[in-house]
Amino acid sequence: MASAAIFSSLRRRRSPSVEAFLVPVDLSREALLDTLCAVSRELVSTFSVDNKIVPFFHGNNSRSLIRKIQVFSVLLDSFCEVGLSRMPSRVFICFKELYLVLYRSKILLDYVKGSSKLWLLIQNRSISGHFHDLNQEILIILDVLPLSEIYVSQDVKEQLELLRKQSRKSKLLIDKDDDLLRMKFYNFLNELENEKVPDQNEMYSFFVEKLAIRDVKSIRFEIEFLEEQIVNCDGDIEPTASVLNGFVALTRYCRFLLFRFEDEEGELGKWRHRKTKKVMITQEIADTFITIPKDFCCPISLDLMRDPVILSTGQTYDRVSISRWMDEGHGTCPKTGQMLVHSLLVPNRALRNLIMQWCLANGIPYDPPESVDSSSESYTAALPSKAAMEATKATADLLVERLASGTEKAKTVAAREIRLLAKSGRENRACIAEAGAIPCLKSLLSSSDALAQENSVTAMLNLSIYDKNKCRIMDVEGCLRSIVGVLRSGHTTEARENAAATLFSLSAVHDYKKQIAGEDGAVEALARLLKEGTPRGQKDAVTALFNLSTHSENCVRMIESGAITALVGALGREREGVFEEAAGALALIVRQPVGAEAVGNEEMAVAGLIGMMQCGTPRGKENAVAALLELCRSGGAVATERVLKAPALAGLLQSLLFTGTKRARRKAASLARVFQRCEYASLHYGGMGVGYGNSSEVRDTGFGGMGVGYGNSTAVRDTGFAGDVAVSISVPVV
C-alpha cells in the first residue's frame, strides 16, 4: 500500500499521504536498527556502481543518493557494534526519520529503474525535484543528529560531517543533455500540431541513437508504459492526458516507420497463445454485459439514444428512429398513441448529457451527432490533440499500405496492429477506415492463415463500433458475406465469436438488420454458436439474434434457420446475459402470429419462461412475462391454454405484481387481464385476491375471485410496444 501511495505522489507532484510513511509506533530500538541496516544494505547492494544497475536517465542523481545512503549504512553498522544502550534519545528520533527517508529512496530508485525511457524523459524535471527533496531531508537529519553525543569512531563522525557539508552545497541537478532531449521530443509534437510529419532521420537519431530504442520489443514497452500512465492518471497528471496521447501516437508511428513490420523474438507467434479479454471501448474489463438504464434507450429501436429529442406529447425518442417513424406517415406518438400536435423535435440536452457522462464512466463509445455542440467538458477533455490525430493518420497510412501490398507475414502483423489501434477512440477508428483499411481487411477474412483471419475479423469488429464505419463496412461488396463466412467456418473459436460480435455491432443500424438476416447462413450460424459455443460465444450470438429479432420482417428467417429452437434452449442456461437476451428475443418474435405459433410448438418454451420467472434476474423476469403475454395475445387459444396450464404461474404473477420492476408489474397485470377473457380461468384460479399499489379499489379480473389492482389508476394501459423489452448492451473490443 505504501508503494502505491508513493508512486501516486511521485507522479502527481504531491506530498504522499501520512499513511504512506508512518513508522510503526511499536517498533523497538533493536527492531528499528535492524530494519534500517537491512534496507540500507539492500539499496547499496542493488544500486551500487559495482552492480552496474544505473538507470538510463537520472544516473547522477541516483549515484549521489546511494553514496549518501552508504555513509548512513556505515553509521548503522557502528551502532550495531557498540550496542544500543548508549544511544541518546535524539538519535532514536533521527533514526525514525531516516526510516522514512530510506523507504522513500527505495521507492524512488525502483520507480526510476522500472519506468520507460520516454516517461523518465518527459518527467525529467519532476523526478530531479524528488531527488533534491530527499537530499534536503537527509540534510535535516544530519543537522539534527547529535554527533557529539554518539559513541562511534572518529572516522565515521568525519564522514558524517563531510556529508553534511556536501549536502548543504547540493543544488537541484537537472542534466542539460537530458533536458535537451526532452525539448526535442516536445518539438516533434509541435511539428505534428502544425500538420508537419517530423523528419525520419531526426526521429531515427532520437529514438535509436540517443535513447537506444533499437527493436520492436523495446518501443512497444515504451508505448504500453505511456498508455498505462494515461489510464492511471485519474485526470491529475502533468503533462495532460491529451499531450500524452500525442506522445503515444507519435511513438506508435515511429514503431512502424523505423522498424517497419519486424516481428522480433516470435512476438507474432506468442500472440496466438495470449489470453485475450473482451473490453469496453476505452477501458479493459472482463467478459461482461452492461445494462443500459431504461431511460437511455429509445422506445423504438431499443438502442442507446445518440440524439434524444422530445415530441409534442412529452415522450423522448432517438432522432433517427422517430424521424423514420414520422417519414412513414405516422401522426401519432408510438408509445402513447396520442395524436401529434406538431412535428417539431426538441433536443433533450439534459438527457443527452446524462447519457454522455454514463458512457464515459462505463467505457461505452458515444458518438454524438455532428450538429451537437461539444460544450460538455467531460467529452471535450476526452478528445485527442491535433498532434495525436496527425500521428494516427500517418500510422494508419503506413499500416494500410503494408496491408495492401506487403508480404503475407507483414499483412498479418499489420492486421494485428490495426486491431490494437482500433481498440479505443472513435478518431482512431475513423482514421483507419478513411485510410482504406476495410477493403484490405476484407480480403484477409478468407485467408488460410488462422492468425491473419482472426486479427482481420477482430479489427473489423473494433472498427464497426464507430457508427460511420458500419456504413463503410456494409458498402464494401462482399464484406458482409466474408464476415458471415468466418462465423460459419472460421479457423479459430475466437474468430467465429468475433464475427458474431461484428454482426451484432452492425445490426445496431435498423436498416441493416434485414440485410444481415437475409445473408445466406448468417442466422443459422448464430443459432449454432448459441447452441454449441463457449460462454463468450453464446453471449455474442444471443445479442446478435436479439438485435435481428427487433426487425419484424426477420421473423420468418428466424423460424426457418432454427433460431427459435436455439433461443428456447438458451432459456435453460443459467448464465447471466444469455437467457435474459434469449427471452427478450422470444418476446419480440411472438408478437407476430407466425412467430407465436413457432414458439408455441417448442415443448420447452413455456416451461423455460416460467423457470426464468421463478429464478431469473429482474430483467430476465421482465422479458419472460412479456414473452408469455405476447404468446397469449398472438398465439391463439392453444397457446393461451398452454400458458394457463403452467404450474405455479398464479403465484409467480402475484409475486411480480408486488416485487417486480415497473415494467414487469405492468406485464403481469396485462397477463392477468388476458386470463380474464379466457374460459379456462375459473377452472385453474380460484379464491385468490391480489391488491397492488395504492389503489383502494380491487377490480375483478375474472380469475374466479382473484382481483388485481394496479397503481393509482383505474385502468392500466399496456401498449405492447417494443420498448417494453428490457435490453442490455455489450460492446466487445479485443
Side-chain angles (χ1 to χ4, degrees):
M1 293 303 294
S3 298
I6 301 171
F7 276 151
S8 176
S9 67
L10 287 175
R11 189 174 65 238
R12 302 179 189 184
R13 294 188 180 182
R14 283 205 301 250
S15 297
S17 61
V18 176
E19 292 80 1
F21 297 122
L22 283 180
V23 182
V25 293
D26 58 345
L27 201 62
S28 65
R29 293 191 175 195
E30 292 79 3
L32 177 60
L33 183 61
D34 291 342
T35 302
L36 290 174
C37 289
V39 175
S40 60
R41 289 168 185 165
E42 179 187 353
L43 288 173
V44 172
S45 63
T46 302
F47 296 100
S48 65
V49 179
D50 296 338
N51 288 337
K52 298 181 180 180
I53 302 180
V54 179
F56 193 84
F57 293 112
H58 302 287
N60 291 333
N61 280 323
S62 298
R63 284 189 288 267
S64 175
L65 181 59
I66 288 298
R67 283 195 294 266
K68 292 178 175 65
I69 294 174
Q70 281 180 313
V71 174
F72 278 110
S73 181
V74 172
L75 173 65
L76 295 169
D77 289 339
S78 298
F79 268 102
C80 289
E81 293 175 2
V82 301
L84 298 174
S85 58
R86 307 176 72 179
M87 178 191 291
S89 58
R90 282 207 297 167
V91 174
F92 183 64
I93 294 174
C94 288
F95 279 7
K96 280 191 172 184
E97 293 300 318
L98 182 61
Y99 175 95
L100 306 180
V101 171
L102 288 181
Y103 267 100
R104 289 188 64 181
S105 300
K106 184 178 187 307
I107 295 298
L108 180 57
L109 290 169
D110 285 338
Y111 181 76
V112 171
K113 175 186 173 184
S115 296
S116 76
K117 295 175 181 178
L118 291 176
W119 178 249
L120 292 177
L121 197 62
I122 294 169
Q123 298 292 324
N124 185 42
R125 291 176 176 269
S126 175
I127 295 176
S128 296
H130 289 301
F131 276 106
H132 183 65
D133 291 344
L134 285 173
N135 286 331
Q136 294 302 110
E137 291 177 24
I138 288 174
L139 176 60
I140 293 173
I141 293 175
L142 291 172
D143 284 339
V144 176
L145 187 66
L147 293 180
S148 60
E149 299 178 19
I150 59 178
Y151 295 91
V152 293
S153 66
Q154 187 62 32
D155 180 58
V156 174
K157 290 184 179 181
E158 290 177 357
Q159 290 186 53
L160 290 171
E161 185 62 36
L162 179 61
L163 179 59
R164 177 160 49 189
K165 292 179 180 180
Q166 291 175 344
S167 298
R168 284 175 179 168
K169 296 179 181 179
S170 66
K171 298 180 180 179
L172 176 64
L173 176 60
I174 299 177
D175 190 286
K176 293 183 179 180
D177 292 335
D178 294 351
D179 212 41
L180 287 174
L181 283 176
R182 185 179 71 88
M183 296 305 297
K184 185 66 175 177
F185 199 26
Y186 272 92
N187 185 58
F188 287 149
L189 213 59
N190 289 334
E191 290 185 36
L192 288 170
E193 287 283 352
N194 296 321
E195 301 183 3
K196 177 185 176 182
V197 178
D199 181 71
Q200 180 176 351
N201 292 329
E202 289 187 12
M203 289 193 290
Y204 180 86
S205 173
F206 177 80
F207 282 94
V208 179
E209 296 176 355
K210 301 294 186 182
L211 299 185
I213 300 174
R214 300 190 174 96
D215 53 51
V216 175
K217 184 177 180 180
S218 298
I219 200 166
R220 184 178 295 137
F221 170 75
E222 298 289 333
I223 295 170
E224 292 173 353
F225 192 93
L226 292 180
E227 289 177 330
E228 183 182 351
Q229 307 315 304
I230 298 172
V231 171
N232 295 332
C233 71
D234 295 329
D236 182 13
I237 191 172
E238 292 183 19
T240 64
S242 178
V243 174
L244 284 178
N245 274 319
F247 284 132
V248 169
L250 170 63
T251 309
R252 186 183 291 114
Y253 170 66
C254 292
R255 176 256 185 272
F256 298 109
L257 181 69
L258 302 180
F259 305 107
R260 306 307 293 176
F261 291 82
E262 300 175 19
D263 181 42
E264 297 188 1
E265 300 185 10
E267 287 296 318
L268 188 59
K270 293 179 183 178
W271 183 268
R272 189 190 305 272
H273 304 291
R274 290 178 182 172
K275 183 178 179 181
T276 59
K277 296 187 292 183
K278 296 177 74 176
V279 300
M280 304 311 289
I281 295 304
T282 58
Q283 185 181 12
E284 291 193 4
I285 62 175
D287 191 18
T288 187
F289 279 65
I290 292 182
T291 301
I292 309 177
K294 63 180 183 300
D295 292 333
F296 292 176
C297 295
C298 175
I300 297 177
S301 67
L302 307 181
D303 294 328
L304 183 70
M305 287 187 279
R306 303 292 176 179
D307 187 12
V309 293
I310 304 173
L311 281 184
S312 61
T313 59
Q315 299 296 324
T316 297
Y317 301 90
D318 200 16
R319 184 184 294 274
V320 173
S321 299
I322 193 61
S323 295
R324 184 188 300 116
W325 169 270
M326 296 170 69
D327 290 343
E328 291 173 354
H330 299 288
T332 59
C333 175
K335 194 168 185 179
T336 66
Q338 294 175 270
M339 292 296 297
L340 299 179
V341 178
H342 55 74
S343 59
L344 181 64
L345 302 178
V346 180
N348 192 337
R349 291 188 176 88
L351 180 59
R352 188 182 68 216
N353 288 335
L354 288 174
I355 293 174
M356 184 184 300
Q357 293 170 14
W358 180 83
C359 287
L360 289 173
N362 290 278
I364 304 296
Y366 183 79
D367 301 327
E370 306 245 342
S371 59
V372 172
D373 62 275
S374 56
S375 58
S376 172
E377 293 182 6
S378 58
Y379 181 71
T380 303
L383 292 175
S385 64
K386 186 176 181 180
M389 288 295 300
E390 292 299 322
T392 300
K393 288 178 182 177
T395 303
D397 289 338
L398 282 176
L399 291 172
V400 172
E401 177 187 352
R402 191 49 56 102
L403 199 60
S405 58
T407 63
E408 291 303 313
K409 184 176 181 180
K411 289 181 179 179
T412 303
V413 175
R416 181 191 68 187
E417 297 300 332
I418 288 177
R419 163 186 182 170
L420 296 175
L421 185 58
K423 282 178 66 173
S424 62
R426 68 170 185 169
E427 289 77 15
N428 289 355
R429 299 182 185 112
C431 287
I432 294 170
E434 289 167 1
I438 292 174
C440 299
L441 289 171
K442 177 253 177 183
S443 64
L444 279 183
L445 293 175
S446 56
S447 173
S448 58
D449 186 328
L451 197 58
Q453 183 189 71
E454 180 182 310
N455 282 318
S456 60
V457 73
T458 309
M460 197 76 78
L461 163 62
N462 293 347
L463 290 173
S464 72
I465 294 168
Y466 180 44
D467 285 345
K468 291 185 178 180
N469 285 347
K470 291 178 171 63
C471 178
R472 293 184 174 117
I473 292 172
M474 296 296 287
D475 286 345
V476 173
E477 184 178 357
C479 192
L480 176 61
R481 187 182 312 112
S482 297
I483 294 171
V484 172
V486 176
L487 173 63
R488 297 176 65 183
S489 55
H491 298 308
T492 66
T493 300
E494 184 173 353
R496 294 190 294 273
E497 292 171 346
N498 289 342
T502 305
L503 294 184
F504 162 64
S505 177
L506 295 173
S507 64
V509 179
H510 183 78
D511 293 341
Y512 297 152
K513 293 176 181 178
K514 184 177 179 181
Q515 186 177 347
I516 294 171
E519 188 65 39
D520 185 35
V523 182
E524 288 86 351
L526 289 172
R528 184 170 62 252
L529 186 61
L530 179 56
K531 289 180 180 179
E532 306 169 0
T534 64
R536 169 185 164 180
Q538 290 173 356
K539 288 183 179 181
D540 290 329
V542 75
T543 49
L545 289 172
F546 176 89
N547 260 14
L548 296 179
S549 66
T550 60
H551 196 296
S552 59
E553 296 183 27
N554 287 341
C555 184
V556 175
R557 279 289 296 126
M558 302 284 281
I559 297 171
E560 294 173 346
S561 64
I564 304 296
T565 302
L567 290 169
V568 171
L571 296 175
R573 303 191 184 107
E574 295 185 7
R575 186 173 294 117
E576 186 176 355
V578 175
F579 61 82
E580 297 165 339
E581 298 289 338
L586 291 174
L588 295 171
I589 292 171
V590 296
R591 292 181 184 278
Q592 299 185 50
V594 63
E597 181 182 358
V599 173
N601 290 335
E602 294 288 334
E603 291 186 8
M604 299 304 297
V606 174
L609 293 169
I610 293 294
M612 186 175 298
M613 288 178 63
Q614 287 178 319
C615 55
T617 63
R619 187 165 62 86
K621 292 178 181 180
E622 287 180 20
N623 288 343
V625 71
L628 291 173
L629 173 61
E630 295 300 332
L631 184 60
C632 291
R633 284 176 170 172
S634 304
V638 175
T640 303
E641 182 180 2
R642 291 191 64 180
V643 174
L644 183 63
K645 289 182 177 180
L649 180 59
L652 293 173
L653 285 177
Q654 182 180 17
S655 176
L656 279 181
L657 285 170
F658 280 104
T659 63
T661 64
K662 182 178 179 180
R663 183 179 290 118
R665 296 196 299 265
R666 186 174 69 248
K667 292 294 182 181
S670 298
L671 185 55
R673 288 196 300 277
V674 170
F675 289 149
Q676 182 180 11
R677 299 187 296 272
C678 180
E679 60 180 346
Y680 301 105
S682 61
L683 299 177
H684 295 277
Y685 296 92
M688 292 186 64
V690 178
Y692 177 75
N694 299 322
S695 177
S696 58
E697 169 190 11
V698 178
R699 301 189 306 278
D700 181 20
T701 62
F703 276 73
M706 174 181 176
V708 180
Y710 182 83
N712 298 316
S713 174
T714 56
V716 179
R717 182 175 185 274
D718 183 68
T719 63
F721 193 67
D724 290 332
V725 178
V727 297
S728 70
I729 186 172
S730 173
V731 186
V733 185
V734 286

